[in-house]
């Protein structure tokens, strides 16, 4: 894991009597769970998309999430709590502080990089190419500062092991690909296909769903003041949450603790598009099926296949529910004189 994880869990190690006071550790993670909910609720209050009753499911209806936080004490909740704090800062237009916290979250768990394509798009849209370089430097500088003790001793080992993009996952822990034969799951060609699908999905969403201007997407490289057609205000939450969700859908493997990567974003993804009252129940049903899939241990062919179906339905809703409205056609002005003009003649 990256350096941020080492520092945070080293502090927890000494705070709990060298790891012996498990009850205190659980209390600390229970506090982290409440803080995480507070940050998520603040984001949802800013968007005003999700009906209030859905927050009950987010708080009380997920045994798996409670287990990840308070029973297992994984580092995934730590990274996600810092990430949600960063998103709150983005919503307050504090981009430099938000980038600093985003990079801190990456230093705890590499999965935060799934939000990075969306963040890069937002920075380009907000600041242009030259304007976003200082923000990217903030992200990079923090990684260097945190990893400096390790980089000075073994830079290659630190970078290859902390950010191991070629890591081979074990088939017995997979939640999402159980219906595949193990030899296919471990095949590098399968991993490459998923990577290509991920990049294609990001490209399509960036071009047709995130980019709302009539200009070419290359116009994002220009200074915002020099663009011919200024982009309308973007929904920061939609871009970041959909970027992460695309990564989750194309992940080589999802383990049980990875549920926290996107659990708190699912209500927004389901309700961010215009919704009729009659369609609320199918969305609640989707949340329930996804929860059931993540609580099936060990995963089965049916549970993993059902999870992919649910992910596919959410993707279809995001694609068709956020399609740009057609531009109304204005008929050419008639050459026939109006009644008023005839009277004037």
């Amino acid at each position: 894991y990256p350096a941020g994880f080492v520092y945070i869990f080293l502090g927890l190690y000494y705070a709990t009597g060298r790891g012996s006071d498990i009850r205190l550790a659980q209390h600390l993670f229970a506090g982290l769970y409440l803080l995480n909910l507070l940050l998520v609720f603040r984001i949802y209050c800013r968007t005003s998309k999700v009906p209030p009753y859905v927050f009950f499911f987010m708080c009380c209806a997920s045994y798996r999430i409670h287990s990840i936080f308070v029973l297992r004490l994984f580092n995934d909740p730590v990274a996600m709590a810092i990430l949600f704090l960063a998103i709150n800062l983005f919503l307050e237009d504090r981009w430099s502080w938000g980038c600093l916290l985003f990079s801190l979250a990456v230093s705890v768990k590499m999965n935060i990089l799934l939000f990075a394509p969306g963040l890069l798009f937002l920075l380009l849209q907000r600041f242009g190419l030259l304007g976003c370089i200082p923000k990217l430097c903030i992200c990079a500088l923090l990684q260097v500062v945190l990893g400096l003790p390790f980089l000075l001793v073994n830079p290659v080992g630190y970078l290859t092991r902390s950010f191991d993009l070629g890591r081979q996952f074990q088939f017995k822990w997979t939640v999402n690909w159980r219906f595949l034969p193990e030899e296919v799951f471990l095949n590098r060609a399968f991993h490459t296909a998923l990577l290509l699908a991920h990049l294609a999905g990001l490209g399509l969403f960036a071009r047709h769903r995130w980019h709302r201007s009539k200009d070419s997407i290359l116009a994002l490289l220009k200074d915002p003041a020099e663009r011919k057609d200024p982009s309308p205000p973007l929904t920061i939450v939609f871009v970041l949450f959909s970027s992460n969700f695309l990564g989750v859908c194309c992940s080589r493997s999802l383990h049980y603790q990875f549920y926290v990567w996107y659990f708190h974003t699912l209500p927004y993804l389901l309700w961010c598009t215009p919704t009729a009252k009659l369609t609320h129940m199918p969305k609640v049903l989707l949340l329930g099926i996804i929860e059931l899939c993540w609580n099936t241990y060990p995963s089965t062919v049916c549970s993993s296949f059902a999870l992919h179906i649910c992910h596919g339905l959410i993707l279809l809703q995001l694609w068709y529910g956020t399609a740009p409205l057609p531009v109304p056609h204005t008929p050419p002005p008639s050459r026939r004189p109006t009644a008023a003009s005839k009277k004037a003649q």
Side-chain angles (χ1 to χ4, degrees):
Y1 292 118
F5 162 81
V6 178
Y7 298 137
I8 291 174
F9 275 77
L10 184 66
L12 290 171
Y13 175 72
Y14 286 110
T16 56
R18 298 180 179 270
S20 60
D21 193 347
I22 303 301
R23 181 64 61 87
L24 175 59
Q26 290 181 305
H27 287 165
L28 292 174
F29 270 79
L32 177 68
Y33 173 72
L34 296 176
L35 175 63
N36 186 78
L37 281 179
L38 177 64
L39 294 171
V40 171
F41 287 176
R42 192 172 185 275
I43 294 170
Y44 276 65
C45 287
R46 292 290 299 269
T47 61
S48 302
K49 295 284 187 181
V50 179
Y53 69 86
V54 177
F55 291 100
F56 167 80
F57 297 97
M58 201 183 299
C59 294
C60 307
S62 179
Y63 164 80
R64 180 63 63 189
I65 292 299
H66 296 161
S67 172
I68 293 169
F69 270 89
V70 181
L71 295 181
R72 306 299 180 182
L73 313 181
F74 283 114
N75 61 332
D76 304 75
V78 179
M80 291 305 299
I82 300 173
L83 181 276
F84 287 128
L85 178 56
I87 295 177
N88 274 277
L89 291 171
F90 294 145
L91 292 173
E92 297 293 337
D93 206 30
R94 298 179 180 179
W95 291 92
S96 296
W97 284 105
C99 288
L100 185 72
L101 269 295
F102 181 87
S103 183
L104 179 61
V106 172
S107 75
V108 177
K109 191 69 181 284
M110 194 175 61
N111 73 283
I112 304 299
L113 290 175
L114 296 178
F115 291 89
L119 177 58
L120 177 61
F121 183 92
L122 291 170
L123 290 174
L124 288 172
Q125 195 275 337
R126 179 71 170 77
F127 301 103
L129 179 60
L130 294 178
C132 81
I133 290 177
K135 313 300 180 187
L136 298 178
C137 289
I138 291 174
C139 297
L141 182 61
L142 182 67
Q143 295 298 322
V144 173
V145 171
L146 293 175
L148 193 60
F150 310 100
L151 291 171
L152 292 175
V153 177
N154 185 4
V156 175
Y158 174 73
L159 293 175
T160 55
R161 298 300 294 165
S162 297
F163 301 96
D164 186 4
L165 298 176
R167 180 184 175 189
Q168 188 72 278
F169 292 101
Q170 294 183 355
F171 182 69
K172 67 177 181 179
W173 296 116
T174 186
V175 176
N176 57 332
W177 296 114
R178 179 66 64 180
F179 58 87
L180 292 177
E182 186 172 0
E183 56 272 16
V184 174
F185 174 81
L186 297 174
N187 194 292
R188 291 291 182 182
F190 174 63
H191 300 166
T192 303
L194 289 176
L195 176 61
L196 293 176
H198 185 198
L199 294 176
L202 288 172
L204 289 172
F205 266 77
R207 178 63 186 88
H208 299 287
R209 293 299 177 266
W210 300 347
H211 186 61
R212 296 288 178 169
S213 172
K214 296 178 182 177
D215 290 339
S216 167
I217 195 170
L218 295 177
L220 293 174
L221 302 177
K222 300 180 181 179
D223 186 276
E226 298 177 358
R227 296 170 190 164
K228 295 179 181 179
D229 181 30
S231 299
L234 279 171
T235 304
I236 294 174
V237 179
F238 172 72
V239 174
L240 292 175
F241 282 9
S242 59
S243 173
N244 177 65
F245 185 69
L246 286 167
V248 169
C249 292
C250 299
S251 291
R252 287 180 296 154
S253 183
L254 294 175
H255 295 178
Y256 285 95
Q257 69 269 28
F258 297 177
Y259 190 23
V260 78
W261 291 5
Y262 76 129
F263 169 79
H264 295 99
T265 71
L266 287 173
Y268 178 86
L269 294 173
L270 284 167
W271 272 273
C272 68
T273 56
T275 302
K277 290 184 178 180
L278 294 178
T279 60
H280 281 251
M281 287 309 298
K283 295 184 178 185
V284 174
L285 180 62
L286 271 179
L287 288 177
I289 295 175
I290 291 174
E291 178 69 23
L292 180 63
C293 294
W294 282 95
N295 279 285
T296 302
Y297 177 80
S299 62
T300 63
V301 170
C302 291
S303 67
S304 61
F305 194 67
L307 185 63
H308 278 285
I309 292 176
C310 292
H311 287 174
L313 291 174
I314 295 174
L315 275 179
L316 288 174
Q317 176 186 288
L318 290 176
W319 182 259
Y320 290 104
T322 59
L325 296 175
V327 179
H329 176 70
T330 55
S334 175
R335 295 183 178 180
R336 297 176 59 184
T338 60
S341 62
K342 287 183 178 179
K343 185 176 181 181
Q345 291 174 356

